[in-house]
Short mmCIF file of all heavy atoms in Angstrom, two decimals:
data_model
loop_
_atom_site.label_atom_id
_atom_site.label_comp_id
_atom_site.label_asym_id
_atom_site.label_seq_id
_atom_site.Cartn_x
_atom_site.Cartn_y
_atom_site.Cartn_z
N MET N 1 12.00 -5.95 2.54
CA MET N 1 12.01 -4.96 3.61
C MET N 1 11.23 -3.71 3.15
O MET N 1 11.43 -3.24 2.04
CB MET N 1 13.45 -4.55 3.94
CG MET N 1 13.51 -3.59 5.10
SD MET N 1 15.18 -3.08 5.52
CE MET N 1 15.60 -2.04 4.13
N ASN N 2 10.33 -3.26 4.01
CA ASN N 2 9.55 -2.07 3.68
C ASN N 2 9.97 -0.88 4.54
O ASN N 2 10.27 -1.05 5.70
CB ASN N 2 8.05 -2.32 3.92
CG ASN N 2 7.50 -3.33 2.94
OD1 ASN N 2 8.19 -3.79 2.04
ND2 ASN N 2 6.24 -3.68 3.10
N VAL N 3 9.98 0.28 3.90
CA VAL N 3 10.30 1.51 4.62
C VAL N 3 9.20 2.52 4.32
O VAL N 3 8.79 2.65 3.16
CB VAL N 3 11.66 2.10 4.17
CG1 VAL N 3 11.95 3.42 4.88
CG2 VAL N 3 12.79 1.11 4.42
N GLU N 4 8.70 3.18 5.35
CA GLU N 4 7.69 4.23 5.13
C GLU N 4 8.18 5.54 5.70
O GLU N 4 8.63 5.60 6.85
CB GLU N 4 6.36 3.84 5.79
CG GLU N 4 5.63 2.75 5.04
CD GLU N 4 4.19 2.57 5.52
OE1 GLU N 4 3.89 2.94 6.66
OE2 GLU N 4 3.40 2.06 4.72
N ILE N 5 8.10 6.59 4.88
CA ILE N 5 8.41 7.94 5.36
C ILE N 5 7.09 8.71 5.36
O ILE N 5 6.45 8.87 4.31
CB ILE N 5 9.45 8.64 4.45
CG1 ILE N 5 10.75 7.84 4.46
CG2 ILE N 5 9.71 10.06 4.94
CD1 ILE N 5 11.22 7.36 3.15
N ILE N 6 6.68 9.12 6.55
CA ILE N 6 5.36 9.75 6.70
C ILE N 6 5.53 11.21 7.12
O ILE N 6 6.28 11.50 8.05
CB ILE N 6 4.54 9.00 7.78
CG1 ILE N 6 4.45 7.51 7.42
CG2 ILE N 6 3.14 9.61 7.93
CD1 ILE N 6 3.91 6.64 8.54
N ASP N 7 4.88 12.11 6.37
CA ASP N 7 4.92 13.51 6.81
C ASP N 7 3.52 14.06 7.03
O ASP N 7 2.53 13.39 6.73
CB ASP N 7 5.72 14.38 5.82
CG ASP N 7 5.02 14.56 4.49
OD1 ASP N 7 3.81 14.88 4.48
OD2 ASP N 7 5.68 14.39 3.45
N GLU N 8 3.46 15.22 7.58
CA GLU N 8 2.16 15.86 7.83
C GLU N 8 2.10 17.19 7.08
O GLU N 8 1.61 18.19 7.59
CB GLU N 8 1.95 16.06 9.34
CG GLU N 8 1.85 14.74 10.09
CD GLU N 8 1.52 14.90 11.56
OE1 GLU N 8 1.86 15.96 12.14
OE2 GLU N 8 0.92 13.97 12.12
N GLY N 9 2.61 17.17 5.86
CA GLY N 9 2.66 18.37 5.05
C GLY N 9 1.38 18.59 4.26
O GLY N 9 0.29 18.17 4.67
N LEU N 10 1.52 19.20 3.09
CA LEU N 10 0.37 19.60 2.29
C LEU N 10 -0.26 18.46 1.51
O LEU N 10 -1.35 18.60 0.98
CB LEU N 10 0.79 20.70 1.30
CG LEU N 10 1.29 22.02 1.91
CD1 LEU N 10 1.84 22.93 0.82
CD2 LEU N 10 0.16 22.70 2.68
N GLY N 11 0.44 17.34 1.41
CA GLY N 11 -0.03 16.27 0.54
C GLY N 11 0.37 16.58 -0.90
O GLY N 11 0.86 17.68 -1.20
N ILE N 12 0.20 15.61 -1.78
CA ILE N 12 0.63 15.78 -3.16
C ILE N 12 -0.56 15.60 -4.09
O ILE N 12 -1.22 14.57 -4.07
CB ILE N 12 1.76 14.79 -3.51
CG1 ILE N 12 2.95 15.02 -2.56
CG2 ILE N 12 2.20 14.95 -4.97
CD1 ILE N 12 4.09 14.07 -2.75
N ASP N 13 -0.84 16.63 -4.87
CA ASP N 13 -1.97 16.61 -5.78
C ASP N 13 -1.83 15.46 -6.78
O ASP N 13 -0.75 15.23 -7.32
CB ASP N 13 -2.02 17.97 -6.52
CG ASP N 13 -3.38 18.21 -7.13
OD1 ASP N 13 -3.71 17.52 -8.13
OD2 ASP N 13 -4.10 19.08 -6.61
N GLU N 14 -2.96 14.76 -7.02
CA GLU N 14 -2.93 13.63 -7.97
C GLU N 14 -2.40 14.04 -9.34
O GLU N 14 -1.75 13.26 -10.02
CB GLU N 14 -4.35 13.05 -8.14
CG GLU N 14 -4.89 12.36 -6.90
CD GLU N 14 -4.14 11.08 -6.52
OE1 GLU N 14 -3.60 10.43 -7.41
OE2 GLU N 14 -4.09 10.77 -5.31
N THR N 15 -2.66 15.30 -9.73
CA THR N 15 -2.28 15.74 -11.08
C THR N 15 -0.76 15.93 -11.23
O THR N 15 -0.26 15.99 -12.34
CB THR N 15 -2.97 17.08 -11.44
OG1 THR N 15 -2.61 18.05 -10.46
CG2 THR N 15 -4.47 16.94 -11.49
N VAL N 16 -0.03 16.03 -10.11
CA VAL N 16 1.42 16.19 -10.23
C VAL N 16 2.19 14.98 -9.68
O VAL N 16 3.41 14.96 -9.69
CB VAL N 16 1.94 17.48 -9.53
CG1 VAL N 16 1.41 18.71 -10.20
CG2 VAL N 16 1.64 17.48 -8.05
N LYS N 17 1.43 13.97 -9.23
CA LYS N 17 2.06 12.79 -8.60
C LYS N 17 3.17 12.17 -9.45
O LYS N 17 4.17 11.71 -8.93
CB LYS N 17 0.99 11.74 -8.30
CG LYS N 17 0.86 11.46 -6.82
CD LYS N 17 -0.16 10.37 -6.56
CE LYS N 17 -0.30 10.16 -5.06
NZ LYS N 17 -1.31 9.17 -4.72
N GLU N 18 2.96 12.10 -10.75
CA GLU N 18 3.97 11.49 -11.63
C GLU N 18 5.12 12.47 -11.87
O GLU N 18 6.27 12.07 -11.94
CB GLU N 18 3.35 11.08 -12.97
CG GLU N 18 2.19 10.11 -12.85
CD GLU N 18 2.59 8.82 -12.11
OE1 GLU N 18 3.71 8.32 -12.36
OE2 GLU N 18 1.80 8.34 -11.28
N LYS N 19 4.80 13.75 -11.99
CA LYS N 19 5.80 14.77 -12.38
C LYS N 19 6.86 15.02 -11.31
O LYS N 19 7.96 15.46 -11.61
CB LYS N 19 5.09 16.11 -12.65
CG LYS N 19 4.32 16.15 -13.94
CD LYS N 19 3.87 17.58 -14.19
CE LYS N 19 2.52 17.62 -14.87
NZ LYS N 19 1.82 18.87 -14.70
N ILE N 20 6.51 14.80 -10.05
CA ILE N 20 7.44 15.22 -8.98
C ILE N 20 8.76 14.46 -9.01
O ILE N 20 9.72 14.89 -8.41
CB ILE N 20 6.80 15.14 -7.58
CG1 ILE N 20 6.46 13.71 -7.22
CG2 ILE N 20 5.59 16.05 -7.48
CD1 ILE N 20 6.00 13.58 -5.76
N PHE N 21 8.80 13.33 -9.74
CA PHE N 21 10.06 12.58 -9.85
C PHE N 21 10.90 13.03 -11.05
O PHE N 21 12.02 12.58 -11.23
CB PHE N 21 9.78 11.07 -9.96
CG PHE N 21 9.22 10.50 -8.69
CD1 PHE N 21 7.84 10.31 -8.55
CD2 PHE N 21 10.04 10.18 -7.62
CE1 PHE N 21 7.32 9.80 -7.37
CE2 PHE N 21 9.53 9.67 -6.44
CZ PHE N 21 8.16 9.48 -6.32
N ASP N 22 10.34 13.92 -11.87
CA ASP N 22 11.08 14.42 -13.04
C ASP N 22 12.21 15.36 -12.62
O ASP N 22 12.06 16.11 -11.64
CB ASP N 22 10.15 15.20 -13.99
CG ASP N 22 9.12 14.31 -14.66
OD1 ASP N 22 9.22 13.08 -14.52
OD2 ASP N 22 8.20 14.87 -15.28
N ASP N 23 13.31 15.34 -13.39
CA ASP N 23 14.39 16.29 -13.16
C ASP N 23 13.83 17.71 -13.24
O ASP N 23 13.10 18.03 -14.18
CB ASP N 23 15.48 16.18 -14.24
CG ASP N 23 16.24 14.87 -14.17
OD1 ASP N 23 16.09 14.16 -13.17
OD2 ASP N 23 16.98 14.58 -15.13
N PHE N 24 14.19 18.55 -12.31
CA PHE N 24 13.90 19.99 -12.29
C PHE N 24 12.44 20.35 -12.05
O PHE N 24 12.08 21.52 -12.12
CB PHE N 24 14.42 20.68 -13.57
CG PHE N 24 15.87 20.35 -13.87
CD1 PHE N 24 16.23 19.69 -15.04
CD2 PHE N 24 16.85 20.66 -12.95
CE1 PHE N 24 17.55 19.35 -15.30
CE2 PHE N 24 18.19 20.33 -13.19
CZ PHE N 24 18.54 19.68 -14.37
N TYR N 25 11.55 19.35 -11.76
CA TYR N 25 10.18 19.74 -11.41
C TYR N 25 10.19 20.24 -9.97
O TYR N 25 10.61 19.52 -9.05
CB TYR N 25 9.18 18.59 -11.55
CG TYR N 25 7.82 19.02 -11.04
CD1 TYR N 25 6.96 19.72 -11.86
CD2 TYR N 25 7.46 18.81 -9.71
CE1 TYR N 25 5.75 20.20 -11.39
CE2 TYR N 25 6.24 19.29 -9.22
CZ TYR N 25 5.39 19.98 -10.06
OH TYR N 25 4.21 20.45 -9.58
N THR N 26 9.73 21.44 -9.77
CA THR N 26 9.63 21.99 -8.41
C THR N 26 8.45 22.95 -8.32
O THR N 26 8.07 23.58 -9.31
CB THR N 26 10.94 22.73 -8.02
OG1 THR N 26 10.83 23.15 -6.65
CG2 THR N 26 11.23 23.94 -8.90
N SER N 27 7.86 23.02 -7.13
CA SER N 27 6.82 24.03 -6.90
C SER N 27 7.36 25.11 -5.98
O SER N 27 6.62 26.01 -5.58
CB SER N 27 5.58 23.36 -6.27
OG SER N 27 5.94 22.77 -5.04
N LYS N 28 8.66 24.99 -5.65
CA LYS N 28 9.26 25.98 -4.74
C LYS N 28 9.90 27.12 -5.52
O LYS N 28 10.42 26.90 -6.63
CB LYS N 28 10.35 25.32 -3.89
CG LYS N 28 9.85 24.20 -3.00
CD LYS N 28 11.04 23.61 -2.26
CE LYS N 28 10.67 22.39 -1.45
NZ LYS N 28 11.85 21.71 -0.91
N GLU N 29 9.91 28.29 -4.91
CA GLU N 29 10.51 29.47 -5.54
C GLU N 29 11.97 29.23 -5.91
O GLU N 29 12.43 29.58 -6.98
CB GLU N 29 10.42 30.65 -4.56
CG GLU N 29 10.75 31.97 -5.17
CD GLU N 29 9.52 32.86 -5.28
OE1 GLU N 29 8.39 32.38 -5.10
OE2 GLU N 29 9.71 34.03 -5.53
N SER N 30 12.70 28.60 -4.99
CA SER N 30 14.13 28.40 -5.26
C SER N 30 14.54 26.93 -5.14
O SER N 30 15.68 26.64 -4.79
CB SER N 30 14.97 29.25 -4.30
OG SER N 30 14.66 28.88 -2.98
N GLY N 31 13.61 26.02 -5.43
CA GLY N 31 13.95 24.59 -5.39
C GLY N 31 14.72 24.19 -6.63
O GLY N 31 14.58 24.82 -7.69
N THR N 32 15.53 23.14 -6.51
CA THR N 32 16.23 22.63 -7.70
C THR N 32 15.37 21.61 -8.43
O THR N 32 15.56 21.36 -9.62
CB THR N 32 17.54 21.93 -7.30
OG1 THR N 32 17.23 20.79 -6.48
CG2 THR N 32 18.48 22.86 -6.57
N GLY N 33 14.43 21.00 -7.73
CA GLY N 33 13.63 19.94 -8.35
C GLY N 33 14.44 18.69 -8.59
O GLY N 33 14.05 17.83 -9.41
N LEU N 34 15.52 18.54 -7.86
CA LEU N 34 16.38 17.36 -8.07
C LEU N 34 16.27 16.33 -6.95
O LEU N 34 16.67 15.18 -7.12
CB LEU N 34 17.85 17.80 -8.22
CG LEU N 34 18.17 18.48 -9.54
CD1 LEU N 34 19.60 19.01 -9.53
CD2 LEU N 34 17.98 17.52 -10.72
N GLY N 35 15.69 16.74 -5.81
CA GLY N 35 15.64 15.84 -4.65
C GLY N 35 15.02 14.49 -4.98
O GLY N 35 15.64 13.44 -4.80
N LEU N 36 13.78 14.51 -5.48
CA LEU N 36 13.09 13.24 -5.72
C LEU N 36 13.60 12.54 -6.97
O LEU N 36 13.50 11.32 -7.07
CB LEU N 36 11.58 13.48 -5.82
CG LEU N 36 10.89 13.75 -4.48
CD1 LEU N 36 9.40 13.98 -4.70
CD2 LEU N 36 11.09 12.60 -3.50
N SER N 37 14.15 13.30 -7.92
CA SER N 37 14.68 12.62 -9.11
C SER N 37 15.93 11.82 -8.74
O SER N 37 16.13 10.71 -9.24
CB SER N 37 14.90 13.60 -10.26
OG SER N 37 16.23 13.94 -10.41
N VAL N 38 16.75 12.34 -7.80
CA VAL N 38 17.90 11.58 -7.32
C VAL N 38 17.41 10.36 -6.53
O VAL N 38 17.93 9.25 -6.70
CB VAL N 38 18.82 12.46 -6.44
CG1 VAL N 38 19.87 11.64 -5.73
CG2 VAL N 38 19.49 13.54 -7.30
N CYS N 39 16.38 10.55 -5.71
CA CYS N 39 15.81 9.42 -4.96
C CYS N 39 15.34 8.32 -5.92
O CYS N 39 15.60 7.13 -5.70
CB CYS N 39 14.62 9.86 -4.12
SG CYS N 39 15.08 10.90 -2.73
N LYS N 40 14.64 8.74 -6.99
CA LYS N 40 14.12 7.77 -7.96
C LYS N 40 15.27 6.98 -8.59
O LYS N 40 15.20 5.76 -8.73
CB LYS N 40 13.30 8.49 -9.03
CG LYS N 40 12.71 7.57 -10.08
CD LYS N 40 12.01 8.37 -11.15
CE LYS N 40 11.30 7.52 -12.20
NZ LYS N 40 11.96 6.30 -12.63
N THR N 41 16.34 7.69 -8.99
CA THR N 41 17.50 7.02 -9.60
C THR N 41 18.07 5.98 -8.64
O THR N 41 18.34 4.83 -9.04
CB THR N 41 18.59 8.05 -9.95
OG1 THR N 41 18.03 9.00 -10.86
CG2 THR N 41 19.80 7.39 -10.58
N LEU N 42 18.23 6.35 -7.36
CA LEU N 42 18.80 5.42 -6.38
C LEU N 42 17.87 4.23 -6.15
O LEU N 42 18.33 3.08 -6.08
CB LEU N 42 19.07 6.16 -5.06
CG LEU N 42 20.16 7.23 -5.12
CD1 LEU N 42 20.22 8.02 -3.81
CD2 LEU N 42 21.52 6.61 -5.42
N LEU N 43 16.57 4.51 -6.05
CA LEU N 43 15.62 3.41 -5.82
C LEU N 43 15.58 2.46 -7.01
O LEU N 43 15.53 1.24 -6.83
CB LEU N 43 14.22 3.99 -5.54
CG LEU N 43 14.07 4.69 -4.19
CD1 LEU N 43 12.76 5.46 -4.12
CD2 LEU N 43 14.16 3.68 -3.05
N ASP N 44 15.63 3.02 -8.22
CA ASP N 44 15.64 2.17 -9.42
C ASP N 44 16.90 1.31 -9.45
O ASP N 44 16.85 0.13 -9.80
CB ASP N 44 15.56 3.03 -10.70
CG ASP N 44 14.16 3.61 -10.91
OD1 ASP N 44 13.21 3.14 -10.24
OD2 ASP N 44 14.02 4.54 -11.73
N GLU N 45 18.04 1.89 -9.07
CA GLU N 45 19.30 1.13 -9.04
C GLU N 45 19.23 -0.04 -8.06
O GLU N 45 19.90 -1.05 -8.24
CB GLU N 45 20.48 2.04 -8.70
CG GLU N 45 20.96 2.84 -9.90
CD GLU N 45 22.09 3.80 -9.55
OE1 GLU N 45 22.60 3.76 -8.42
OE2 GLU N 45 22.44 4.60 -10.44
N HIS N 46 18.42 0.12 -7.03
CA HIS N 46 18.27 -0.94 -6.03
C HIS N 46 17.05 -1.82 -6.30
O HIS N 46 16.68 -2.66 -5.47
CB HIS N 46 18.18 -0.34 -4.62
CG HIS N 46 19.48 0.20 -4.13
ND1 HIS N 46 20.43 -0.59 -3.54
CD2 HIS N 46 20.01 1.44 -4.19
CE1 HIS N 46 21.48 0.15 -3.22
NE2 HIS N 46 21.26 1.39 -3.61
N ASN N 47 16.43 -1.62 -7.49
CA ASN N 47 15.26 -2.43 -7.86
C ASN N 47 14.11 -2.32 -6.85
O ASN N 47 13.38 -3.28 -6.64
CB ASN N 47 15.64 -3.91 -7.96
CG ASN N 47 15.95 -4.26 -9.38
OD1 ASN N 47 15.40 -3.66 -10.31
ND2 ASN N 47 16.85 -5.21 -9.56
N ALA N 48 13.99 -1.18 -6.21
CA ALA N 48 12.95 -1.01 -5.20
C ALA N 48 11.65 -0.53 -5.85
O ALA N 48 11.68 0.22 -6.83
CB ALA N 48 13.41 -0.01 -4.16
N ASP N 49 10.54 -0.99 -5.31
CA ASP N 49 9.23 -0.46 -5.72
C ASP N 49 8.85 0.64 -4.73
O ASP N 49 9.20 0.57 -3.56
CB ASP N 49 8.16 -1.55 -5.66
CG ASP N 49 8.33 -2.56 -6.77
OD1 ASP N 49 8.81 -2.16 -7.86
OD2 ASP N 49 8.02 -3.74 -6.55
N TYR N 50 8.12 1.63 -5.21
CA TYR N 50 7.74 2.70 -4.29
C TYR N 50 6.44 3.32 -4.73
O TYR N 50 6.09 3.29 -5.91
CB TYR N 50 8.85 3.78 -4.21
CG TYR N 50 9.30 4.27 -5.55
CD1 TYR N 50 8.70 5.37 -6.16
CD2 TYR N 50 10.33 3.62 -6.23
CE1 TYR N 50 9.11 5.81 -7.39
CE2 TYR N 50 10.74 4.06 -7.47
CZ TYR N 50 10.14 5.15 -8.05
OH TYR N 50 10.53 5.57 -9.29
N LYS N 51 5.72 3.84 -3.77
CA LYS N 51 4.47 4.55 -4.09
C LYS N 51 4.22 5.66 -3.09
O LYS N 51 4.69 5.61 -1.95
CB LYS N 51 3.29 3.59 -4.17
CG LYS N 51 3.03 2.83 -2.89
CD LYS N 51 1.93 1.80 -3.10
CE LYS N 51 1.86 0.88 -1.89
NZ LYS N 51 1.06 -0.30 -2.04
N LEU N 52 3.49 6.65 -3.57
CA LEU N 52 3.09 7.78 -2.74
C LEU N 52 1.62 7.64 -2.40
O LEU N 52 0.81 7.42 -3.29
CB LEU N 52 3.28 9.08 -3.51
CG LEU N 52 4.70 9.58 -3.71
CD1 LEU N 52 4.71 10.67 -4.77
CD2 LEU N 52 5.24 10.11 -2.41
N ILE N 53 1.32 7.76 -1.13
CA ILE N 53 -0.08 7.66 -0.72
C ILE N 53 -0.42 8.92 0.08
O ILE N 53 0.29 9.26 1.03
CB ILE N 53 -0.28 6.43 0.20
CG1 ILE N 53 0.22 5.16 -0.50
CG2 ILE N 53 -1.72 6.30 0.64
CD1 ILE N 53 0.77 4.13 0.45
N ASN N 54 -1.47 9.61 -0.34
CA ASN N 54 -1.92 10.74 0.47
C ASN N 54 -2.61 10.22 1.72
O ASN N 54 -3.49 9.37 1.65
CB ASN N 54 -2.86 11.65 -0.33
CG ASN N 54 -2.08 12.59 -1.24
OD1 ASN N 54 -1.07 13.17 -0.85
ND2 ASN N 54 -2.53 12.73 -2.48
N ASN N 55 -2.18 10.68 2.89
CA ASN N 55 -2.73 10.20 4.15
C ASN N 55 -4.19 10.63 4.28
O ASN N 55 -4.59 11.67 3.78
CB ASN N 55 -1.93 10.76 5.33
CG ASN N 55 -0.47 10.34 5.26
OD1 ASN N 55 -0.15 9.30 4.71
ND2 ASN N 55 0.40 11.15 5.83
N ALA N 56 -4.97 9.80 4.97
CA ALA N 56 -6.38 10.12 5.19
C ALA N 56 -6.50 11.42 5.99
O ALA N 56 -7.40 12.22 5.77
CB ALA N 56 -7.06 8.98 5.92
N THR N 57 -5.58 11.63 6.90
CA THR N 57 -5.63 12.83 7.74
C THR N 57 -4.91 13.98 7.06
O THR N 57 -5.53 14.88 6.50
CB THR N 57 -5.01 12.54 9.12
OG1 THR N 57 -3.76 11.88 8.92
CG2 THR N 57 -5.92 11.69 9.96
N LYS N 58 -3.58 13.92 7.02
CA LYS N 58 -2.80 15.06 6.54
C LYS N 58 -1.46 14.55 6.02
O LYS N 58 -0.87 13.64 6.61
CB LYS N 58 -2.55 16.00 7.73
CG LYS N 58 -2.13 17.38 7.36
CD LYS N 58 -2.08 18.28 8.60
CE LYS N 58 -1.66 19.68 8.20
NZ LYS N 58 -0.58 20.20 8.97
N GLY N 59 -0.98 15.13 4.94
CA GLY N 59 0.35 14.80 4.47
C GLY N 59 0.43 13.55 3.61
O GLY N 59 -0.58 13.05 3.09
N THR N 60 1.64 13.03 3.48
CA THR N 60 1.94 11.98 2.51
C THR N 60 2.74 10.85 3.15
O THR N 60 3.55 11.09 4.04
CB THR N 60 2.81 12.58 1.38
OG1 THR N 60 2.19 13.77 0.90
CG2 THR N 60 2.97 11.61 0.22
N THR N 61 2.49 9.64 2.68
CA THR N 61 3.34 8.51 3.04
C THR N 61 4.07 8.04 1.80
O THR N 61 3.46 7.80 0.76
CB THR N 61 2.51 7.34 3.61
OG1 THR N 61 1.87 7.77 4.81
CG2 THR N 61 3.39 6.14 3.92
N PHE N 62 5.39 7.98 1.88
CA PHE N 62 6.23 7.48 0.80
C PHE N 62 6.62 6.07 1.20
O PHE N 62 7.38 5.86 2.14
CB PHE N 62 7.46 8.38 0.67
CG PHE N 62 8.24 8.22 -0.61
CD1 PHE N 62 9.24 9.13 -0.91
CD2 PHE N 62 7.98 7.20 -1.51
CE1 PHE N 62 9.98 9.02 -2.09
CE2 PHE N 62 8.70 7.08 -2.69
CZ PHE N 62 9.70 7.99 -2.98
N SER N 63 6.04 5.10 0.51
CA SER N 63 6.22 3.70 0.89
C SER N 63 7.19 3.03 -0.08
O SER N 63 7.00 3.07 -1.30
CB SER N 63 4.85 3.03 0.85
OG SER N 63 4.97 1.66 1.06
N ILE N 64 8.23 2.43 0.46
CA ILE N 64 9.29 1.82 -0.36
C ILE N 64 9.42 0.34 -0.01
O ILE N 64 9.45 -0.03 1.16
CB ILE N 64 10.64 2.52 -0.08
CG1 ILE N 64 10.53 4.02 -0.36
CG2 ILE N 64 11.76 1.90 -0.94
CD1 ILE N 64 11.73 4.82 0.17
N GLN N 65 9.47 -0.49 -1.05
CA GLN N 65 9.67 -1.93 -0.84
C GLN N 65 10.99 -2.36 -1.47
O GLN N 65 11.15 -2.30 -2.69
CB GLN N 65 8.54 -2.75 -1.49
CG GLN N 65 7.15 -2.53 -0.87
CD GLN N 65 6.44 -1.34 -1.46
OE1 GLN N 65 6.47 -1.15 -2.68
NE2 GLN N 65 5.85 -0.50 -0.64
N PHE N 66 11.93 -2.74 -0.63
CA PHE N 66 13.20 -3.29 -1.11
C PHE N 66 13.06 -4.81 -1.23
O PHE N 66 12.55 -5.45 -0.30
CB PHE N 66 14.34 -2.97 -0.14
CG PHE N 66 14.70 -1.51 -0.12
CD1 PHE N 66 14.24 -0.68 0.89
CD2 PHE N 66 15.52 -0.96 -1.10
CE1 PHE N 66 14.57 0.67 0.92
CE2 PHE N 66 15.86 0.39 -1.09
CZ PHE N 66 15.38 1.20 -0.07
N LYS N 67 13.47 -5.35 -2.37
CA LYS N 67 13.42 -6.82 -2.52
C LYS N 67 14.69 -7.41 -1.91
O LYS N 67 15.78 -7.01 -2.29
CB LYS N 67 13.31 -7.19 -4.00
CG LYS N 67 12.05 -6.66 -4.63
CD LYS N 67 12.04 -6.89 -6.14
CE LYS N 67 10.89 -6.15 -6.78
NZ LYS N 67 11.31 -4.86 -7.38
N VAL N 68 14.51 -8.32 -0.96
CA VAL N 68 15.71 -8.91 -0.34
C VAL N 68 15.72 -10.42 -0.51
O VAL N 68 14.72 -11.02 -0.85
CB VAL N 68 15.82 -8.56 1.16
CG1 VAL N 68 16.24 -7.10 1.34
CG2 VAL N 68 14.52 -8.84 1.88
N1 ATP T 1 6.57 15.31 0.99
C1 ATP T 1 6.05 16.12 0.07
N2 ATP T 1 4.83 16.70 0.25
C2 ATP T 1 4.29 17.52 -0.69
N3 ATP T 1 4.89 17.82 -1.87
C3 ATP T 1 6.10 17.27 -2.09
C4 ATP T 1 6.75 16.41 -1.16
N4 ATP T 1 7.94 16.01 -1.68
C5 ATP T 1 8.02 16.61 -2.87
N5 ATP T 1 6.94 17.38 -3.13
C6 ATP T 1 6.68 18.14 -4.35
O1 ATP T 1 7.56 17.67 -5.36
C7 ATP T 1 8.38 18.73 -5.85
C8 ATP T 1 9.74 18.19 -6.26
O2 ATP T 1 10.43 17.74 -5.09
P1 ATP T 1 12.00 17.61 -5.13
O3 ATP T 1 12.44 17.12 -3.78
O4 ATP T 1 12.40 16.81 -6.33
O5 ATP T 1 12.53 19.08 -5.39
P2 ATP T 1 12.34 20.36 -4.45
O6 ATP T 1 12.13 19.90 -3.03
O7 ATP T 1 11.29 21.23 -5.08
O8 ATP T 1 13.72 21.10 -4.59
P3 ATP T 1 14.99 20.93 -3.65
O9 ATP T 1 15.20 19.44 -3.54
O10 ATP T 1 16.07 21.66 -4.34
O11 ATP T 1 14.63 21.56 -2.33
C9 ATP T 1 8.38 19.74 -4.72
O12 ATP T 1 8.67 21.03 -5.19
C10 ATP T 1 6.96 19.63 -4.19
O13 ATP T 1 6.05 20.32 -5.06
MG1 MG T 2 13.10 18.22 -2.03
#
């Protein structure tokens, strides 16, 4: 089963693509940097594959593949 979450935000710079899943990595003034690290832990527990793709137009697609 595949799930895609598509936004029209700023997109994610290639140079930080790996870092954004780290604990406490944030570019926000008052972010915890825990949102995506919790997501990663949950996805790993479910053996899901996932990738981030910068949209051709605007924003990011977070593509998740659950093995069923
Ligand atoms: N959809 C997105 N588009 C662009 N950048 C993103 C996106 N999701 C995450 N990021 C980048 O990854 C960083 C880490 O995200 P994460 O959700 O782990 O923490 P946060 O959003 O900064 O903090 P908090 O979860 O406390 O609000 C963000 O600060 C931002 O730089
Ligand atoms: Mg967040």
